[in-house]
């Protein structure tokens, strides 16, 4: 009986570990300021899965009419944004959402531009890790990106 009891405990231990295996950390969350007439703005961040099981980013919630996950494709140097249903975050890896690539799209800005110095409170929704809060800092447009600045 004692052996069975120990085996039961071990199983219980495994189950508990499995539930806590996905661990998500985020860094460098930022969004670019937008022109007053802009309809949408991009959000960028690095997502690290420090756990031992794969996870998937399935949604981003924020106070905008619509928030989507996008990636960018270049065709003859013309950028085109593609809607993504989800972004896989493999165990032990960091996935970077960067200008010119994948990004969070805050949509429906109509007259409420993203303003430098302000922040966007959002919630990342993961299949395994659940809700992960994140704050995007709104910064000036990254000159190294594919955007073209008109600040001169
Ligand atoms: Cu986009």
């Amino acid at each position: 009986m004692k052996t069975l009891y120990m085996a039961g405990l071990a199983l219980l231990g495994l189950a508990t570990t499995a539930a806590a295996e996905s661990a998500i950390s985020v860094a460098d969350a930022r969004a670019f300021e937008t022109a007053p007439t802009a309809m949408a703005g991009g959000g960028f961040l690095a997502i690290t899965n420090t756990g031992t099981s794969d996870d998937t980013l399935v949604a981003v919630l924020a106070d905008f009419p619509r928030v989507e996950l996008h990636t960018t494709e270049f065709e003859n140097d013309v950028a085109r944004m593609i809607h993504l249903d989800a972004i896989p975050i493999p165990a032990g890896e960091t996935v970077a959402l960067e200008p010119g690539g994948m990004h969070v799209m805050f949509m429906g800005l109509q007259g409420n531009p993203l303003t430098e110095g302000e922040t966007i409170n959002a919630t990342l929704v993961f299949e395994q890790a659940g809700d992960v809060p994140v704050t995007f800092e709104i910064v000036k447009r990254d000159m190294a990106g594919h955007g073209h600045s008109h600040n001169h």
Side-chain angles (χ1 to χ4, degrees):
M1 279 312 282
K2 193 176 183 195
T3 314
L4 265 178
Y5 179 64
M6 291 302 287
L9 269 189
L11 275 177
L12 204 67
L14 275 178
T16 307
T17 308
E21 263 176 2
S22 177
I24 295 291
S25 72
V26 296
D28 210 15
R30 66 213 188 276
F32 291 150
E33 63 179 357
T34 62
T37 52
M39 297 293 284
F44 309 93
L45 77 168
I47 303 168
T48 301
N49 183 347
T50 57
T52 52
S53 62
D54 295 345
D55 210 339
T56 306
L57 175 63
V58 292
V60 179
L61 309 176
D63 192 18
F64 294 94
R66 200 171 166 80
V67 184
E68 291 186 356
L69 298 171
H70 284 179
T71 191
T72 312
E73 273 187 7
F74 289 91
E75 239 180 65
N76 303 322
D77 228 29
V78 177
R80 198 160 65 96
M81 296 197 287
I82 316 271
H83 177 250
L84 297 173
D85 287 329
I87 297 176
I89 316 289
E93 289 189 20
T94 297
V95 175
L97 278 61
E98 291 285 352
M102 292 186 289
H103 54 276
V104 178
M105 194 102 259
F106 302 108
M107 305 175 80
L109 301 183
Q110 287 108 325
N112 294 300
L114 304 183
T115 307
E116 186 194 3
E118 294 185 354
T119 56
I120 299 167
N121 290 316
T123 302
L124 308 179
V125 183
F126 293 90
E127 231 167 53
Q128 307 298 325
D131 292 357
V132 176
V134 60
T135 300
F136 290 86
E137 306 274 345
I138 302 174
V139 297
K140 279 201 184 305
R141 185 161 277 277
D142 187 349
M143 296 297 287
H146 287 277
H148 299 280
S149 174
H150 299 285
N151 292 332
H152 305 291

